[in-house]
Amino acid sequence: MFNFQTCSHPQCHAYVCENGRFCYRHAPDKERLRALCNANLLSGEDMQDFSFTGGEFENLTLPKKSIVSSNMAWCTFRNVDFSHINLLNSFFDYCLFENCRFNGIQSRYSVFSGSKMIDCDFSGSVIIHTNFCGIDTYRCNFSDCDLYFSSFNSSYLRDTDFEDCNLKKADFVYTDQRRVSFRWSNYEEARH
C-alpha cells in the first residue's frame, strides 16, 4: 500500500508523494515529480504503491497495465484514456475527470467518491465493489457494465446511462437522478 505519511508542511494533511517529505502541492521539485508520475502512467509496467495527489494530466493514453494500491486523489484528468486498465484497491477520490475513457476496465475495491465526471465513458467494464459515493456525473456512460456491489449512493447523476448493466446489490440510495437510463438493466436488484 502507498505511504500513509502526511506532508511535512504545517497544517497540511495530504499524503506525501513517493517517499518524500511533502505532498505535490508543497514539494520543492514539482516538475520532477510530475515527470515521474507521467512516466509511470505511460510506461507499460504496472504501478503499485504509488502516491501522487493534486496533479493535472491531459491528453494521455495509458497502455494496458494494472494500477494497484495507489493513490491519485484530488487530481484533474482531461482527455485521458484509461481503457483496459486493471484497478485494484486504488484511490481516485475527489478528482475531476473530463472527457475520459474507461472502456473495458477491470476495477475492484477502488474509490472514485466525491469526483466530478463530465463526458466520461465506462462502457463495457467490470466494476465490482467500487465506491462512487457522492459523485457528480454529466453526460456519462456506464452501459454494458458489471457493477455488482458498487455504490453510487448520495450521487448527483445527470444525463447518464446505465443500460444493459448488472446492478445486483449496487447502491443508488439517496441519488439525485435526472435523465438517467437503466434500460435493459436489473435495476430492481439494486438498492434504491
Side-chain angles (χ1 to χ4, degrees):
M1 188 57 112
F2 62 90
N3 191 340
F4 286 100
Q5 181 180 344
T6 56
C7 181
S8 295
H9 190 274
Q11 308 278 312
C12 183
H13 301 290
Y15 294 123
V16 297
C17 289
E18 285 303 282
N19 292 318
R21 293 182 49 235
F22 298 100
C23 67
Y24 177 67
R25 190 175 76 197
H26 295 115
D29 55 348
K30 282 188 178 74
E31 288 307 312
R32 183 192 68 79
L33 288 172
R34 189 165 191 267
L36 173 68
C37 189
N38 271 330
N40 280 333
L41 285 170
L42 295 173
S43 83
E45 295 182 23
D46 293 345
M47 287 174 62
Q48 186 164 348
D49 303 330
F50 188 79
S51 182
F52 187 90
T53 59
E56 294 190 21
F57 305 93
E58 291 188 48
N59 304 319
L60 300 176
T61 300
L62 279 60
K64 185 175 181 177
K65 65 192 302 174
S66 293
I67 300 176
V68 180
S69 301
S70 294
N71 179 29
M72 295 194 72
W74 298 96
C75 287
T76 298
F77 298 94
R78 288 189 176 92
N79 195 31
V80 176
D81 191 347
F82 293 90
S83 295
H84 307 292
I85 293 287
N86 292 319
L87 298 174
L88 179 62
N89 197 31
S90 290
F91 297 83
F92 292 87
D93 42 329
Y94 300 104
C95 288
L96 169 62
F97 296 97
E98 189 171 355
N99 196 31
C100 292
R101 289 162 304 290
F102 296 85
N103 305 113
I105 68 165
Q106 300 268 332
S107 176
R108 284 179 173 69
Y109 313 114
S110 292
V111 177
F112 290 88
S113 64
S115 292
K116 184 169 186 73
M117 300 174 176
I118 303 167
D119 293 316
C120 292
D121 188 357
F122 288 81
S123 61
S125 297
V126 176
I127 304 172
I128 296 174
H129 284 273
T130 296
N131 182 343
F132 292 96
C133 295
I135 63 169
D136 183 354
T137 66
Y138 181 60
R139 293 190 313 242
C140 291
N141 185 11
F142 288 87
S143 295
D144 193 30
C145 285
D146 185 350
L147 296 168
Y148 177 77
F149 234 119
S150 289
S151 181
F152 292 84
N153 70 31
S154 302
S155 293
Y156 187 36
L157 309 173
R158 293 169 293 152
D159 300 299
T160 297
D161 293 333
F162 293 88
E163 297 183 353
D164 198 21
C165 290
N166 175 22
L167 300 177
K168 187 171 185 173
K169 296 193 177 185
D171 188 350
F172 290 91
V173 173
Y174 303 120
T175 56
D176 186 339
Q177 300 174 15
R178 299 180 187 192
R179 298 169 304 280
V180 174
S181 174
F182 291 100
R183 185 172 40 180
W184 306 306
S185 296
N186 55 340
Y187 188 64
E188 68 282 354
E189 294 188 69
R191 292 188 62 223
H192 48 87

